[in-house]
Amino acid sequence: MTQASARGGPVTHDVVAAALDRLERAGAGPIDVAMVLGSGLSVLADHLEDPVRVPYREIDGFPQSTVPGHAGNFVVGTLEGRTVGMAQGRFHLYEGYEAREVVLPIRVLHALGARALLVTNAAGSLDRRRPPGTLMAIRDQMNLQFANPLAGSHPTGRTARMMVERTETYDPGLLALLHATALEQTIRLREGVYAGLPGPTYETPAEIRFLKRAGADAVGMSTVGEAIAAASLGMPVAGVSLLTNYAAGLTRRHLTHDEVTRVAERTRHRLERLVRGFVRRLDLRS
Ligand code: HPA
């Protein structure tokens, strides 16, 4: 019988176990690297060799992606000689999910054996010198969603390790590797702080001025909970934002989700080259 959590719904570890079971039955073996693919970027999963695909809807108790541009599958396959598990489509608080549901794909990919996580997202740029199409490695983040995936039930069902003793959410070694890969591939890669807001509305110009003063370089509605969950599991995290637009107030243009996915689609080839180089160079011995 499925136990209910404090807020109702199946507890996390049952859902993770169901996902693992379904993936293993589909033939997905242990993975080296985990990835989460954001808006307009999910096509990367179609480039895996020998892919095993499991739709989220085939997993008991698993949430479903409801956002255009976000597919809803786990895809496990080979990329640059490494076994990669991808969450093709992510969940957001603004879809009505709890923070702990948003991070279910992270927990599943970790349970599959991933020793590193790369998160990608589409984000708004707070810097006029970083136009749409810019790639930004995430150095640090601000969780302004005021929801934390570690609150409440714990995947093991035991007492949660509530306080994660880490200064760095994003692994400095993986950040350096992103830069080294970009250099090798002659891809321009900037670096900065990602602010995660709850959405679903885009920000106001006043909010963007506030975020800029607070030290944010990019703004989006995802990623922060995923990075917290991964760090708490001891899985090193790297993040890349594809800046798809100037944030509100930096231009007069009105921002739409269509524009975000269009720019992401135009730029994703560069991101794919970066991701491939990163995966190839990743040292998984430790
Ligand atoms: N704001 C929030 N989320 C986003 C944006 C933005 O400007 N662009 C892409 N995702």
Side-chain angles (χ1 to χ4, degrees):
M1 199 188 81
T2 309
Q3 233 179 310
S5 67
R7 294 266 181 88
V11 287
T12 305
H13 63 280
D14 289 343
V15 180
V16 172
L20 207 55
D21 181 59
R22 181 68 194 82
L23 279 156
E24 280 168 1
R25 274 192 291 123
I31 61 172
D32 300 317
V33 189
M35 280 186 207
V36 180
L37 306 172
S39 289
L41 304 171
S42 71
V43 73
L44 271 177
D46 298 332
H47 299 173
L48 289 179
E49 296 155 43
D50 308 319
V52 171
R53 183 179 302 266
V54 171
Y56 296 156
R57 73 181 128 72
E58 291 182 8
I59 300 166
D60 262 358
F62 218 74
Q64 308 298 317
S65 299
T66 64
V67 188
H70 281 265
N73 306 294
F74 284 109
V75 189
V76 175
T78 307
L79 188 75
E80 302 296 320
R82 280 349 207 317
T83 311
V84 177
M86 293 185 172
Q88 190 183 35
R90 56 155 53 101
F91 307 115
H92 305 81
L93 294 178
Y94 65 71
E95 295 173 85
Y97 293 117
E98 303 282 344
R100 68 189 155 77
E101 293 176 302
V102 167
V103 302
L104 277 168
I106 306 298
R107 296 201 184 283
V108 171
L109 294 169
H110 176 259
L112 267 184
R115 277 168 288 159
L117 170 70
L118 178 66
V119 285
T120 65
N121 60 45
S125 172
L126 272 67
D127 185 340
R128 275 181 219 286
R129 291 163 306 179
R130 297 180 177 184
T134 301
L135 293 177
M136 186 192 92
I138 304 176
R139 178 178 64 246
D140 203 354
Q141 68 180 28
M142 297 180 190
N143 177 9
L144 301 176
Q145 299 189 325
F146 302 104
N148 193 301
L150 306 187
S153 64
H154 191 254
T156 62
R158 284 186 261 111
T159 312
R161 205 177 100 216
M162 291 292 187
M163 305 297 176
V164 180
E165 313 90 21
R166 284 176 80 108
T167 320
E168 293 119 356
T169 307
Y170 293 87
D171 185 83
L174 293 185
L175 177 63
L177 185 62
L178 279 172
H179 283 297
T181 307
L183 206 60
E184 179 193 75
Q185 305 276 328
T186 57
I187 294 168
R188 192 165 160 82
L189 181 67
R190 315 305 295 263
E191 184 181 307
V193 174
Y194 174 91
L197 271 66
T201 46
Y202 288 113
E203 304 69 37
T204 64
E207 287 164 344
I208 292 301
R209 284 195 299 276
F210 168 79
L211 291 173
K212 197 165 164 56
R213 287 192 166 200
D217 301 294
V219 61
M221 305 173 190
S222 66
T223 304
V224 288
E226 297 163 0
I228 289 169
S232 81
L233 292 164
M235 183 162 60
V237 191
V240 179
S241 289
L242 200 174
L243 307 181
T244 49
N245 56 279
Y246 285 119
L250 270 75
T251 63
R252 285 165 182 266
R253 284 175 70 100
H254 281 272
L255 179 57
T256 64
H257 184 66
D258 271 357
E259 182 184 347
V260 168
T261 42
R262 229 180 317 115
V263 176
E265 269 159 30
R266 243 194 288 130
T267 319
R268 63 159 202 264
H269 303 283
R270 224 178 331 128
L271 181 59
E272 178 164 346
R273 274 203 293 132
L274 181 67
V275 168
R276 281 181 180 277
F278 176 81
V279 168
R280 201 165 48 235
R281 295 178 61 138
L282 205 53
D283 181 358
L284 294 167
R285 279 170 303 179
S286 52

